[in-house]
């Protein structure tokens, strides 16, 4: 196998892997803090992608400049979804909460997917600004500018989130609530506000990820389940509550998939990730990098 | 209680006999097709409910069992294998497959959500892989298609449906069924009473997979042509969950009611709003999960109790028996 | 400053507290003692608002507490050190203390309070960057108390602060509690270590099966026959 081909597949894997990481981190944050496992996360990501698609085609808004707008749209959607649906589960015991939230998310995903089908048809949509086709070639490896930019932006988001959680008072309150909500309440923390904030932060991150996916790749109504699964795979690999673990998990998944595409067949790209997922789930349920829960 | 049981049994027999007589009363082919659809969905929901309802282990990848059932039965049947054997193997193959996730997940006592997302992933693996390996349409044998007989299919699938409900009923009424519910309500407490939670969950999974596969067998026998991977697609995972919850999770009659309701509502909605019906189903499902976790069965029970209370108040009867409490654990 | 009157409370169908009434005055140190499962922790949960009473009233500085959410009660100045301390094990000692000063009222004086806490517990200052999960049992308990002090409590609720500690540490913790009380903080102390608690407290209540069955000055209860036979052996 020629080395450029190996390098190319490695590079493509890393580029898409960063997006997997970004997609997963929102899901992970929400689950870690609220114990709501929102399997409609992929559909929310899709809505983020379509928001930028709309902004671009209707108003000519540059997709990268439009990231704050699609995040804002997802904040609104997140607020509605949380207040209307998930907030009703928040007081359930953890096991029941996870189970019921899975079901609610499942139904919500179905709903959003079909709404998207009505609004935007089943077609694959991409965002194509003037620089869309530009490619940076390094030693024969082709790196599309938009994907490189997406990688950088994903890194920035993850770093910013890390700093926010580690350094700010609000971030610490979020971590405290994730560890022990009752003890957090006894610190005077309004945990219901923290839940809402975390959920909305998670959906905003899905909005950002969706935009990057729409620019570098494409969006379609049925992509939700696909991205939810990617996020879950990364979550299981990286463990809950570790942003670095999530990023590494995303990169590993991306690279493994491209390797599988090269060595086995492009058709099995997505199967490999799922297979790893099942294995990790069964062998090391606390995640490859995560500490044991509790 | 025994009188009530007798009445329900009589109603059941009358219902089945009536369904058996429907084709003789000059029913149109489209009515028979609609009924077959109800049978298949009843089987699908009932098979899901055995694991998801009785043990509380939410399976979001039931399409894997259904799909494996269709694949196996279709392969065997078109290969000339006798129908009963094809059905049997269609049930067994998913059972073997289900152990892949069931044994490790239940033995390690992983939290329920690990099992749930595991099933979701496994069904996706199959969906993609079958799409890659067999990217084509499967047809019934030429002889069957040229001379497609709906009547034998109607009766056979009716029989399979009765069998499926029978298995579910027998399971619930047995000691095993009690064990399943005990495990769902409180696994530790159940174990301390000597219930082997691992064995119980595994058994429920096996029965659920077997009946799910059998449902697939029925579908493969009924449907003249479809893409091989179609029966592995996400809707086949989604719909049994939706139907069971709408009907009443964790009860024998819930999935039956849910399936009938689902098919009728779908027919009605498709005519009126077309593809928008899927959005409506999503909303309906969420509403049921959040506000009526016992589904139509619970709604009926509530109404009945309300009426009963009214009448007992009027008659000033000394006792107000609320009837069997079959609220499912949420 | 704190008054419970005829409080009933429980979990789901199980009623645990039956008409509990008790009072803690300004600057007072009051003990609440009783056997396992008597309802001591439940009483503290009621005061902190983690659990709402089904009947009766809870008043603090003249204000009704039973409708207030738990985090507002902290803001008013009632701070609890829960059973077992429940420190945030994944965070550093310093971060734990910072979280203690989460309320707006406490945050303003965070730096000074932290100095005071470090003075009270020099051990914590030495370990300020260590993860709380790696602390010893005694250190965790100190951290839990220090964290509560960061909230600038007017009334401090302590749930078995001596639990699981070596006798010498128990003595230290009790001295700390006395010291904190001398500085003007009212204390409601739940203890299994009845003798020490009664010696420390100005007044005490005895709770059994969810009912207050005895009340008096610490010394009086110490000499009270049934208390002696039941708890002091
Ligand atoms: N979350 C809960 N759910 C149900 N019952 C509870 C719960 N917490 C406590 N109980 C019950 O309430 C009763 C009183 O418990 P509580 O924790 O208040 O006792 P305690 O006096 O603090 O005991 P200990 O000295 O052992 O800490 C006990 O019978 C206990 O089993
Ligand atoms: Mg206690």
């Amino acid at each position: 196998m020629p080395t450029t081909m190996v390098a190319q597949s490695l590079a493509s894997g890393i580029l898409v892997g960063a997006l997997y990481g970004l997609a997963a981190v929102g899901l992970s944050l929400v689950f870690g803090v609220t114990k709501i496992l929102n399997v409609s996360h992929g559909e929310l990501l899709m809505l983020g992608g379509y928001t930028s698609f709309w902004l671009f085609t209707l108003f000519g808004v540059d997709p990268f400049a439009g990231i704050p707008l699609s995040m804002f749209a997802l904040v609104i959607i997140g607020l509605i979804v949380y207040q209307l649906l998930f907030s009703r589960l928040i007081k359930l015991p953890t096991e029941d909460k996870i189970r019921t939230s899975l079901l609610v998310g499942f139904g919500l995903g179905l709903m959003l997917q079909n709404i998207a089908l009505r609004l935007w048809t089943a077609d694959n949509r991409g965002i194509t600004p003037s620089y869309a086709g530009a490619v940076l070639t390094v030693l024969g490896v082709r790196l599309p500018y938009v994907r490189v930019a997406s990688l950088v932006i994903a890194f920035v988001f993850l770093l910013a989130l890390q700093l926010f959680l580690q350094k700010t008072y609000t971030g610490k309150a979020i971590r405290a609530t994730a560890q022990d909500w009752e003890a957090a309440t006894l610190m005077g923390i309004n945990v219901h506000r923290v839940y809402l904030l975390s959920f909305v932060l998670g959906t905003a991150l899905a909005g950002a990820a969706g935009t990057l996916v729409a620019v570098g790749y494409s969006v379609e109504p049925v992509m939700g389940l696909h991205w939810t699964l990617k996020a879950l795979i990364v979550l299981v690999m990286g463990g809950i509550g570790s942003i670095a673990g999530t990023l590494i998990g995303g990169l590993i998944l991306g690279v493994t998939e491209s390797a599988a595409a090269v060595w086995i067949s492009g058709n099995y790209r997505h199967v490999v990730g799922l297979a790893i997922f099942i294995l990790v789930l069964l062998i090391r349920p606390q995640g490859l990098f995560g500490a044991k829960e509790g | 209680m025994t009188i009530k049981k007798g009445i329900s049994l009589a109603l059941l027999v009358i219902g089945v006999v009536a369904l058996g007589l429907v084709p003789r009363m000059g029913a149109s082919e489209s009515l028979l097709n609609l009924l077959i659809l109800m049978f298949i969905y009843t089987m699908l929901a009932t098979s899901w409910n055995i694991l998801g309802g009785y043990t509380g282990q939410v399976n979001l990848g039931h399409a894997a069992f259904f799909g494996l059932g269709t694949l196996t039965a279709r392969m065997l049947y078109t290969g000339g294998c006798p129908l009963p054997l094809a059905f049997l193997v269609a049930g067994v193959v998913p059972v073997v497959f289900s152990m892949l996730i069931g044994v490790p997940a239940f033995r390690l006592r992983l939290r329920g959500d690990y099992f749930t997302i595991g099933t979701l992933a496994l069904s996706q693996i199959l969906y993609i892989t079958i799409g890659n390996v067999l990217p084509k349409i499967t047809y019934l044998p030429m002889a069957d298609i040229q001379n497609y007989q709906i009547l034998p299919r109607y009766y056979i699938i009716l029989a399979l449906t009765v069998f499926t409900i029978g298995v579910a009923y027998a399971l619930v009424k047995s000691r095993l069924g009690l064990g399943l519910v005990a495990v769902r309500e409180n696994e530790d407490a159940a174990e301390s009473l000597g219930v082997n939670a691992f064995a119980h969950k595994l058994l429920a999974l096996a029965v659920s997979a077997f009946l799910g596969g059998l449902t697939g067998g029925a579908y493969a026998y009924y449907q003249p042509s479809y893409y091989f991977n179609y029966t592995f697609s996400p809707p086949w995972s989604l719909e049994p969950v939706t139907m069971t919850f709408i009907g009443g999770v964790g009860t024998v009659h819930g999935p039956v009611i849910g399936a009938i309701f689902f098919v009728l509502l779908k027919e009605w909605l498709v005519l009126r709003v077309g593809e928008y019906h899927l959005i409506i189903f999503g909303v309906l499902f969420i509403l049921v999960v959040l506000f009526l976790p016992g589904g139509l069965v619970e709604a009926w029970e509530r109404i009945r109790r309300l009426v009963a209370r009214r009448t007992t108040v009027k008659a000033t009867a000394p006792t107000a028996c609320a009837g069997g409490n079959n609220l499912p654990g949420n | 400053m704190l008054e419970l009157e005829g409080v009933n409370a429980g979990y789901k169908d199980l009623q645990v507290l039956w008409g509990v009434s008790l009072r803690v005055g300004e600057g007072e140190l009051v003990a609440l003692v009783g056997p396992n499962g008597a309802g001591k922790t439940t009483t503290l949960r009621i005061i902190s608002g983690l659990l709402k009473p089904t009947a009766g009233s809870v008043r603090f500085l003249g204000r009704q507490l039973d409708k207030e959410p738990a985090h507002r009660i902290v803001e008013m100045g009632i701070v609890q050190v829960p059973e077992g301390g429940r420190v945030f094990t994944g965070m550093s000692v310093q971060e734990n203390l910072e979280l203690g000063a989460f309320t707006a009222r406490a945050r303003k004086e965070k730096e000074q309070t932290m100095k005071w806490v470090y003075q009270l517990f020099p051990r914590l200052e030495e370990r300020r960057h260590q993860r709380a999960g790696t602390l010893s049992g005694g250190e965790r308990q100190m951290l839990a108390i220090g964290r509560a002090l960061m909230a600038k409590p007017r009334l401090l609720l302590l749930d078995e602060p001596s639990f699981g500690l070596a006798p010498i540490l128990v003595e230290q913790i009790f001295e700390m509690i006395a010291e904190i009380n001398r500085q003007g903080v009212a204390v409601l102390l739940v203890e299994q270590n009845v003798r020490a608690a009664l010696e420390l407290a100005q007044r005490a209540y005895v709770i059994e099966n969810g009912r207050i069955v005895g009340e008096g000055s610490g010394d009086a209860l110490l000499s009270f026959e049934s208390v002696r036979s039941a708890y002091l052996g």
Side-chain angles (χ1 to χ4, degrees), chain C residues 11 14 16 34-43 83 159-160 190 192:
Chain C
Y11 304 92
L14 174 75
V16 174
N36 289 113
K40 306 182 293 292
T41 300
T42 307
T43 306
E83 217 166 357
D159 198 348
E160 304 198 15
V190 163
Q192 295 271 346

Side-chain angles (χ1 to χ4, degrees), chain A residues 277-291:
Chain A
F277 173 55
I278 298 279
L279 282 180
V280 175
L281 203 61
L282 299 179
I283 296 166
R284 217 184 130 75
Q286 71 272 33
L288 290 180
F289 310 105

Side-chain angles (χ1 to χ4, degrees), chain A residues 126-210:
Chain A
I127 301 177
T128 49
S130 55
Y131 49 84
V135 170
L136 174 72
T137 310
V138 184
L139 302 171
V141 176
R142 294 165 51 83
L143 304 168
Y145 275 115
V146 284
R147 293 192 190 176
V148 175
S150 298
L151 174 97
V152 173
I153 292 171
F155 276 6
V156 169
F157 270 115
L158 293 177
L159 192 67
L161 182 64
Q162 174 80 359
L163 287 175
F164 169 70
L165 290 177
Q166 295 297 329
K167 300 292 176 210
T168 67
Y169 237 115
T170 313
K172 285 174 190 175
I174 290 178
R175 280 157 61 215
T177 306
Q179 273 184 40
D180 184 341
W181 68 267
E182 221 167 57
T185 306
L186 291 176
M187 303 298 101
I189 294 168
N190 181 349
V191 292
H192 290 289
R193 275 243 291 278
V194 170
Y195 289 150
L196 175 65
L197 177 69
S198 308
F199 191 88
V200 167
L201 205 56
T203 57
L205 287 167

Side-chain angles (χ1 to χ4, degrees), chain A residues 3 6 31 34 39 51-52 65 81 99 116 149 155 201 216 231 252 258 277 291:
Chain A
T3 42
V6 174
F31 182 63
T34 63
V39 285
T51 305
S52 324
V81 165
R99 190 189 318 165
F155 276 6
L201 205 56
I252 292 181
S258 341
F277 173 55

